[in-house]
Amino acid sequence: MLFFKDLDLHNKRVFLRVDFNVPLDENGNITDDTRIKAVLPTLNHLSNHKAQVIIGSHLGRPKGKKDSKLSLKPVAQMLSSMLPQKITLAPDCIGKQVSQLKSHQKKQDIILLENLRFHPEEKQNDDEFARELAEDIDYYVNDAFAACHRSHASIVAITQFVKKAAAGFVVRQEMDYFQRIIEAPQRPYIAILGGAKVSDKIPVLKNLIKKADAILIGGAMSYTFFKAMKFEVGRSLVEEDKKDLSLELLKKAEDKGVKVFLPSDHVIAKEMKPGAEYKNITRFPIPNEYMGLDIGPETIKKYSKFINNAKTVFWNGPMGVFEIKEFSQGTAQIAKAVASSDTLSIVGGGDSVSALKKTGLEKKISHISTGGGASLELIANETLPGIKVLSEDI
Ligand code: AMP
């Protein structure tokens, strides 16, 4: 994987693909600027080395047509306040006006292209669209790790039409950490998986069964496993059509000697809402009118012990309905255990990351991934579409 620092950037025009998919409030104000700040080192390096920069990003899901609510205008304004360079927001990402802007671009100025997803061709990975994006571009730099699992035109097809395609600082740092756990994880290697659905985590589970020493499962996904094993789980969230697969996964893990742990106690309630009455149970059945909404204290203790003894930890997905105080303890305590352990710890996924931030211990994590979906796919497939197409090292 080529690193953009190894390119001679002087007087070169660079297409920088970033992830400016920032959260906006109802008035279109940016509520979290983390994704913008994340790419400043790459932007600064490009400018310091006299490259001419064109930035491309998506924002939200505009369904392939122009949507003023999803314009990158607020991003352009925020970027202008963060950088000394002049930032020009182009009216589109391809076409005559963009070509004109490029031809008049002063060396130190930055052009921010309008939302790439205003064109359906972006998601279709369309060659012609990608060729237009790459017009007059020398080098392509990808710093949008969170979008690297998407085979989209600005991630994949575009790389055919440039002289070199390289990783920026964000992508490079993400890949450095993930390669450590993909290629030669220090053992014991413990994976913690939670969240709502087993279906989202099947490919990653399949890979972890080959790679990890133990898998700790929490969240609603555990109830699909329990139901498949014929335990009564009341009204807990279950994916009925994934029960057989859950059993197959457990069998595969057993054959490989990988331990898969499910919660041994549960916080249950009749309602999933703040202030709901709840109780802790240590054995099945979960009564008919109840749902399992968090892991209980015994499970927290057991999982924390595993985490403490691990040399490598990968965590994705909350242990319960962490958004509601009554059901947030499992996730909060696991976050604390991961943060206070002396391991190589990688946390991916928006929910696990926000749970970690709530504990204030995020600085103690070795690496917090900027991409939830991308990190899961990377663990599952050991590479990503957007990484495969980058040029070889020079
Ligand atoms: P995911 O996107 O698959 O990581 O799922 C995250 C969501 O799973 C969060 O919104 C949690 O509230 C939800 N979740 C976690 N545990 C449970 C549970 N036991 N019952 C219902 N939802 C849950």
PDB file of all heavy atoms in Angstrom, residues 360-388:
ATOM      1  N   GLY A 360     -14.992   8.597  29.408  1.00  0.00           N
ATOM      2  CA  GLY A 360     -13.873   9.542  29.436  1.00  0.00           C
ATOM      3  C   GLY A 360     -12.521   8.843  29.346  1.00  0.00           C
ATOM      4  O   GLY A 360     -11.490   9.439  29.600  1.00  0.00           O
ATOM      5  N   LEU A 361     -12.544   7.562  28.995  1.00  0.00           N
ATOM      6  CA  LEU A 361     -11.294   6.793  28.998  1.00  0.00           C
ATOM      7  C   LEU A 361     -10.781   6.504  27.581  1.00  0.00           C
ATOM      8  O   LEU A 361      -9.907   5.661  27.398  1.00  0.00           O
ATOM      9  CB  LEU A 361     -11.505   5.461  29.732  1.00  0.00           C
ATOM     10  CG  LEU A 361     -11.808   5.560  31.233  1.00  0.00           C
ATOM     11  CD1 LEU A 361     -12.251   4.225  31.785  1.00  0.00           C
ATOM     12  CD2 LEU A 361     -10.584   6.070  31.981  1.00  0.00           C
ATOM     13  N   GLU A 362     -11.350   7.203  26.601  1.00  0.00           N
ATOM     14  CA  GLU A 362     -11.012   6.831  25.222  1.00  0.00           C
ATOM     15  C   GLU A 362      -9.522   6.980  24.891  1.00  0.00           C
ATOM     16  O   GLU A 362      -8.993   6.283  24.047  1.00  0.00           O
ATOM     17  CB  GLU A 362     -11.898   7.552  24.203  1.00  0.00           C
ATOM     18  CG  GLU A 362     -11.649   9.044  24.050  1.00  0.00           C
ATOM     19  CD  GLU A 362     -12.527   9.878  24.961  1.00  0.00           C
ATOM     20  OE1 GLU A 362     -12.957   9.385  26.016  1.00  0.00           O
ATOM     21  OE2 GLU A 362     -12.762  11.049  24.612  1.00  0.00           O
ATOM     22  N   LYS A 363      -8.839   7.872  25.622  1.00  0.00           N
ATOM     23  CA  LYS A 363      -7.406   8.074  25.349  1.00  0.00           C
ATOM     24  C   LYS A 363      -6.587   6.834  25.692  1.00  0.00           C
ATOM     25  O   LYS A 363      -5.456   6.673  25.264  1.00  0.00           O
ATOM     26  CB  LYS A 363      -6.886   9.268  26.154  1.00  0.00           C
ATOM     27  CG  LYS A 363      -7.401  10.583  25.625  1.00  0.00           C
ATOM     28  CD  LYS A 363      -6.334  11.676  25.630  1.00  0.00           C
ATOM     29  CE  LYS A 363      -6.694  12.812  24.705  1.00  0.00           C
ATOM     30  NZ  LYS A 363      -7.902  13.531  25.172  1.00  0.00           N
ATOM     31  N   LYS A 364      -7.159   5.973  26.523  1.00  0.00           N
ATOM     32  CA  LYS A 364      -6.424   4.773  26.947  1.00  0.00           C
ATOM     33  C   LYS A 364      -6.543   3.633  25.955  1.00  0.00           C
ATOM     34  O   LYS A 364      -5.929   2.573  26.132  1.00  0.00           O
ATOM     35  CB  LYS A 364      -6.936   4.324  28.308  1.00  0.00           C
ATOM     36  CG  LYS A 364      -6.734   5.360  29.384  1.00  0.00           C
ATOM     37  CD  LYS A 364      -6.508   4.707  30.687  1.00  0.00           C
ATOM     38  CE  LYS A 364      -5.742   5.631  31.597  1.00  0.00           C
ATOM     39  NZ  LYS A 364      -5.702   5.109  32.941  1.00  0.00           N
ATOM     40  N   ILE A 365      -7.358   3.822  24.931  1.00  0.00           N
ATOM     41  CA  ILE A 365      -7.530   2.783  23.915  1.00  0.00           C
ATOM     42  C   ILE A 365      -6.408   2.936  22.892  1.00  0.00           C
ATOM     43  O   ILE A 365      -6.093   4.058  22.478  1.00  0.00           O
ATOM     44  CB  ILE A 365      -8.908   2.946  23.223  1.00  0.00           C
ATOM     45  CG1 ILE A 365     -10.036   2.853  24.247  1.00  0.00           C
ATOM     46  CG2 ILE A 365      -9.095   1.951  22.095  1.00  0.00           C
ATOM     47  CD1 ILE A 365     -10.204   1.521  24.912  1.00  0.00           C
ATOM     48  N   SER A 366      -5.815   1.820  22.465  1.00  0.00           N
ATOM     49  CA  SER A 366      -4.716   1.942  21.492  1.00  0.00           C
ATOM     50  C   SER A 366      -5.213   2.598  20.204  1.00  0.00           C
ATOM     51  O   SER A 366      -4.567   3.475  19.652  1.00  0.00           O
ATOM     52  CB  SER A 366      -4.150   0.570  21.124  1.00  0.00           C
ATOM     53  OG  SER A 366      -4.020  -0.255  22.220  1.00  0.00           O
ATOM     54  N   HIS A 367      -6.388   2.141  19.735  1.00  0.00           N
ATOM     55  CA  HIS A 367      -6.869   2.694  18.479  1.00  0.00           C
ATOM     56  C   HIS A 367      -8.396   2.681  18.420  1.00  0.00           C
ATOM     57  O   HIS A 367      -9.022   1.632  18.577  1.00  0.00           O
ATOM     58  CB  HIS A 367      -6.314   1.888  17.305  1.00  0.00           C
ATOM     59  CG  HIS A 367      -6.776   2.402  15.979  1.00  0.00           C
ATOM     60  ND1 HIS A 367      -6.501   3.670  15.533  1.00  0.00           N
ATOM     61  CD2 HIS A 367      -7.533   1.833  15.010  1.00  0.00           C
ATOM     62  CE1 HIS A 367      -7.050   3.854  14.346  1.00  0.00           C
ATOM     63  NE2 HIS A 367      -7.680   2.758  14.012  1.00  0.00           N
ATOM     64  N   ILE A 368      -8.970   3.861  18.201  1.00  0.00           N
ATOM     65  CA  ILE A 368     -10.419   3.944  17.997  1.00  0.00           C
ATOM     66  C   ILE A 368     -10.631   4.137  16.507  1.00  0.00           C
ATOM     67  O   ILE A 368     -10.199   5.143  15.936  1.00  0.00           O
ATOM     68  CB  ILE A 368     -11.031   5.104  18.796  1.00  0.00           C
ATOM     69  CG1 ILE A 368     -10.848   4.827  20.288  1.00  0.00           C
ATOM     70  CG2 ILE A 368     -12.501   5.279  18.437  1.00  0.00           C
ATOM     71  CD1 ILE A 368     -11.487   5.839  21.207  1.00  0.00           C
ATOM     72  N   SER A 369     -11.263   3.182  15.875  1.00  0.00           N
ATOM     73  CA  SER A 369     -11.406   3.251  14.420  1.00  0.00           C
ATOM     74  C   SER A 369     -12.436   4.302  14.029  1.00  0.00           C
ATOM     75  O   SER A 369     -13.437   4.497  14.710  1.00  0.00           O
ATOM     76  CB  SER A 369     -11.819   1.892  13.871  1.00  0.00           C
ATOM     77  OG  SER A 369     -12.001   2.003  12.480  1.00  0.00           O
ATOM     78  N   THR A 370     -12.168   4.951  12.890  1.00  0.00           N
ATOM     79  CA  THR A 370     -13.108   5.944  12.375  1.00  0.00           C
ATOM     80  C   THR A 370     -14.201   5.277  11.537  1.00  0.00           C
ATOM     81  O   THR A 370     -15.118   5.942  11.078  1.00  0.00           O
ATOM     82  CB  THR A 370     -12.386   6.985  11.489  1.00  0.00           C
ATOM     83  OG1 THR A 370     -11.663   6.273  10.470  1.00  0.00           O
ATOM     84  CG2 THR A 370     -11.420   7.827  12.279  1.00  0.00           C
ATOM     85  N   GLY A 371     -14.098   3.974  11.336  1.00  0.00           N
ATOM     86  CA  GLY A 371     -15.075   3.299  10.471  1.00  0.00           C
ATOM     87  C   GLY A 371     -15.670   2.061  11.121  1.00  0.00           C
ATOM     88  O   GLY A 371     -14.960   1.085  11.336  1.00  0.00           O
ATOM     89  N   GLY A 372     -16.953   2.106  11.429  1.00  0.00           N
ATOM     90  CA  GLY A 372     -17.611   0.944  12.026  1.00  0.00           C
ATOM     91  C   GLY A 372     -17.759  -0.184  11.016  1.00  0.00           C
ATOM     92  O   GLY A 372     -17.199  -1.274  11.179  1.00  0.00           O
ATOM     93  N   GLY A 373     -18.489   0.104   9.925  1.00  0.00           N
ATOM     94  CA  GLY A 373     -18.716  -0.895   8.875  1.00  0.00           C
ATOM     95  C   GLY A 373     -17.404  -1.329   8.240  1.00  0.00           C
ATOM     96  O   GLY A 373     -17.177  -2.519   7.994  1.00  0.00           O
ATOM     97  N   ALA A 374     -16.543  -0.353   7.989  1.00  0.00           N
ATOM     98  CA  ALA A 374     -15.266  -0.663   7.330  1.00  0.00           C
ATOM     99  C   ALA A 374     -14.409  -1.565   8.214  1.00  0.00           C
ATOM    100  O   ALA A 374     -13.785  -2.513   7.735  1.00  0.00           O
ATOM    101  CB  ALA A 374     -14.513   0.632   7.004  1.00  0.00           C
ATOM    102  N   SER A 375     -14.407  -1.301   9.532  1.00  0.00           N
ATOM    103  CA  SER A 375     -13.549  -2.113  10.405  1.00  0.00           C
ATOM    104  C   SER A 375     -14.070  -3.544  10.488  1.00  0.00           C
ATOM    105  O   SER A 375     -13.281  -4.488  10.494  1.00  0.00           O
ATOM    106  CB  SER A 375     -13.403  -1.481  11.783  1.00  0.00           C
ATOM    107  OG  SER A 375     -14.631  -1.464  12.459  1.00  0.00           O
ATOM    108  N   LEU A 376     -15.400  -3.701  10.515  1.00  0.00           N
ATOM    109  CA  LEU A 376     -15.966  -5.061  10.543  1.00  0.00           C
ATOM    110  C   LEU A 376     -15.616  -5.807   9.264  1.00  0.00           C
ATOM    111  O   LEU A 376     -15.236  -6.977   9.287  1.00  0.00           O
ATOM    112  CB  LEU A 376     -17.493  -5.011  10.678  1.00  0.00           C
ATOM    113  CG  LEU A 376     -18.061  -4.826  12.076  1.00  0.00           C
ATOM    114  CD1 LEU A 376     -19.580  -4.856  12.031  1.00  0.00           C
ATOM    115  CD2 LEU A 376     -17.557  -5.896  13.028  1.00  0.00           C
ATOM    116  N   GLU A 377     -15.749  -5.101   8.139  1.00  0.00           N
ATOM    117  CA  GLU A 377     -15.454  -5.769   6.865  1.00  0.00           C
ATOM    118  C   GLU A 377     -13.969  -6.081   6.725  1.00  0.00           C
ATOM    119  O   GLU A 377     -13.586  -7.101   6.159  1.00  0.00           O
ATOM    120  CB  GLU A 377     -15.947  -4.909   5.697  1.00  0.00           C
ATOM    121  CG  GLU A 377     -16.169  -5.773   4.467  1.00  0.00           C
ATOM    122  CD  GLU A 377     -16.883  -5.051   3.341  1.00  0.00           C
ATOM    123  OE1 GLU A 377     -17.935  -4.431   3.597  1.00  0.00           O
ATOM    124  OE2 GLU A 377     -16.377  -5.118   2.208  1.00  0.00           O
ATOM    125  N   LEU A 378     -13.153  -5.214   7.290  1.00  0.00           N
ATOM    126  CA  LEU A 378     -11.709  -5.454   7.228  1.00  0.00           C
ATOM    127  C   LEU A 378     -11.327  -6.690   8.048  1.00  0.00           C
ATOM    128  O   LEU A 378     -10.528  -7.520   7.601  1.00  0.00           O
ATOM    129  CB  LEU A 378     -10.967  -4.205   7.732  1.00  0.00           C
ATOM    130  CG  LEU A 378      -9.451  -4.226   7.714  1.00  0.00           C
ATOM    131  CD1 LEU A 378      -8.906  -4.577   6.331  1.00  0.00           C
ATOM    132  CD2 LEU A 378      -8.888  -2.866   8.141  1.00  0.00           C
ATOM    133  N   ILE A 379     -11.900  -6.819   9.222  1.00  0.00           N
ATOM    134  CA  ILE A 379     -11.627  -8.012  10.035  1.00  0.00           C
ATOM    135  C   ILE A 379     -12.178  -9.253   9.322  1.00  0.00           C
ATOM    136  O   ILE A 379     -11.550 -10.308   9.315  1.00  0.00           O
ATOM    137  CB  ILE A 379     -12.266  -7.883  11.444  1.00  0.00           C
ATOM    138  CG1 ILE A 379     -11.630  -6.738  12.229  1.00  0.00           C
ATOM    139  CG2 ILE A 379     -12.176  -9.199  12.212  1.00  0.00           C
ATOM    140  CD1 ILE A 379     -10.296  -7.034  12.859  1.00  0.00           C
ATOM    141  N   ALA A 380     -13.340  -9.107   8.691  1.00  0.00           N
ATOM    142  CA  ALA A 380     -13.970 -10.261   8.039  1.00  0.00           C
ATOM    143  C   ALA A 380     -13.181 -10.721   6.808  1.00  0.00           C
ATOM    144  O   ALA A 380     -12.945 -11.908   6.618  1.00  0.00           O
ATOM    145  CB  ALA A 380     -15.404  -9.923   7.642  1.00  0.00           C
ATOM    146  N   ASN A 381     -12.767  -9.767   5.966  1.00  0.00           N
ATOM    147  CA  ASN A 381     -12.164 -10.136   4.676  1.00  0.00           C
ATOM    148  C   ASN A 381     -10.661  -9.875   4.610  1.00  0.00           C
ATOM    149  O   ASN A 381     -10.025 -10.153   3.601  1.00  0.00           O
ATOM    150  CB  ASN A 381     -12.836  -9.364   3.527  1.00  0.00           C
ATOM    151  CG  ASN A 381     -14.311  -9.687   3.437  1.00  0.00           C
ATOM    152  OD1 ASN A 381     -14.734 -10.761   3.841  1.00  0.00           O
ATOM    153  ND2 ASN A 381     -15.104  -8.754   2.942  1.00  0.00           N
ATOM    154  N   GLU A 382     -10.118  -9.268   5.639  1.00  0.00           N
ATOM    155  CA  GLU A 382      -8.691  -8.979   5.763  1.00  0.00           C
ATOM    156  C   GLU A 382      -8.174  -7.960   4.759  1.00  0.00           C
ATOM    157  O   GLU A 382      -6.982  -7.705   4.677  1.00  0.00           O
ATOM    158  CB  GLU A 382      -7.867 -10.278   5.746  1.00  0.00           C
ATOM    159  CG  GLU A 382      -8.394 -11.239   6.817  1.00  0.00           C
ATOM    160  CD  GLU A 382      -7.461 -12.377   7.175  1.00  0.00           C
ATOM    161  OE1 GLU A 382      -6.495 -12.584   6.442  1.00  0.00           O
ATOM    162  OE2 GLU A 382      -7.716 -13.026   8.204  1.00  0.00           O
ATOM    163  N   THR A 383      -9.055  -7.411   3.945  1.00  0.00           N
ATOM    164  CA  THR A 383      -8.726  -6.244   3.120  1.00  0.00           C
ATOM    165  C   THR A 383     -10.038  -5.542   2.800  1.00  0.00           C
ATOM    166  O   THR A 383     -11.100  -5.990   3.223  1.00  0.00           O
ATOM    167  CB  THR A 383      -7.943  -6.622   1.853  1.00  0.00           C
ATOM    168  OG1 THR A 383      -7.553  -5.406   1.187  1.00  0.00           O
ATOM    169  CG2 THR A 383      -8.758  -7.464   0.899  1.00  0.00           C
ATOM    170  N   LEU A 384      -9.938  -4.432   2.061  1.00  0.00           N
ATOM    171  CA  LEU A 384     -11.145  -3.679   1.701  1.00  0.00           C
ATOM    172  C   LEU A 384     -11.041  -3.277   0.237  1.00  0.00           C
ATOM    173  O   LEU A 384      -9.933  -3.073  -0.279  1.00  0.00           O
ATOM    174  CB  LEU A 384     -11.238  -2.412   2.558  1.00  0.00           C
ATOM    175  CG  LEU A 384     -11.504  -2.608   4.056  1.00  0.00           C
ATOM    176  CD1 LEU A 384     -11.355  -1.281   4.807  1.00  0.00           C
ATOM    177  CD2 LEU A 384     -12.901  -3.177   4.285  1.00  0.00           C
ATOM    178  N   PRO A 385     -12.183  -3.106  -0.456  1.00  0.00           N
ATOM    179  CA  PRO A 385     -12.121  -2.713  -1.869  1.00  0.00           C
ATOM    180  C   PRO A 385     -11.268  -1.467  -2.107  1.00  0.00           C
ATOM    181  O   PRO A 385     -10.497  -1.403  -3.059  1.00  0.00           O
ATOM    182  CB  PRO A 385     -13.594  -2.444  -2.222  1.00  0.00           C
ATOM    183  CG  PRO A 385     -14.373  -3.273  -1.248  1.00  0.00           C
ATOM    184  CD  PRO A 385     -13.567  -3.319   0.011  1.00  0.00           C
ATOM    185  N   GLY A 386     -11.390  -0.475  -1.214  1.00  0.00           N
ATOM    186  CA  GLY A 386     -10.640   0.774  -1.390  1.00  0.00           C
ATOM    187  C   GLY A 386      -9.159   0.655  -1.073  1.00  0.00           C
ATOM    188  O   GLY A 386      -8.371   1.536  -1.427  1.00  0.00           O
ATOM    189  N   ILE A 387      -8.784  -0.400  -0.381  1.00  0.00           N
ATOM    190  CA  ILE A 387      -7.365  -0.600  -0.051  1.00  0.00           C
ATOM    191  C   ILE A 387      -6.692  -1.409  -1.162  1.00  0.00           C
ATOM    192  O   ILE A 387      -5.569  -1.101  -1.578  1.00  0.00           O
ATOM    193  CB  ILE A 387      -7.225  -1.331   1.313  1.00  0.00           C
ATOM    194  CG1 ILE A 387      -7.879  -0.517   2.437  1.00  0.00           C
ATOM    195  CG2 ILE A 387      -5.757  -1.651   1.628  1.00  0.00           C
ATOM    196  CD1 ILE A 387      -7.256   0.833   2.725  1.00  0.00           C
ATOM    197  N   LYS A 388      -7.424  -2.403  -1.664  1.00  0.00           N
ATOM    198  CA  LYS A 388      -6.868  -3.271  -2.714  1.00  0.00           C
ATOM    199  C   LYS A 388      -6.403  -2.492  -3.936  1.00  0.00           C
ATOM    200  O   LYS A 388      -5.460  -2.890  -4.606  1.00  0.00           O
ATOM    201  CB  LYS A 388      -7.957  -4.261  -3.170  1.00  0.00           C
ATOM    202  CG  LYS A 388      -7.960  -5.553  -2.392  1.00  0.00           C
ATOM    203  CD  LYS A 388      -8.785  -6.601  -3.106  1.00  0.00           C
ATOM    204  CE  LYS A 388     -10.195  -6.610  -2.592  1.00  0.00           C
ATOM    205  NZ  LYS A 388     -11.076  -7.625  -3.107  1.00  0.00           N
TER     206      LYS A 388
END
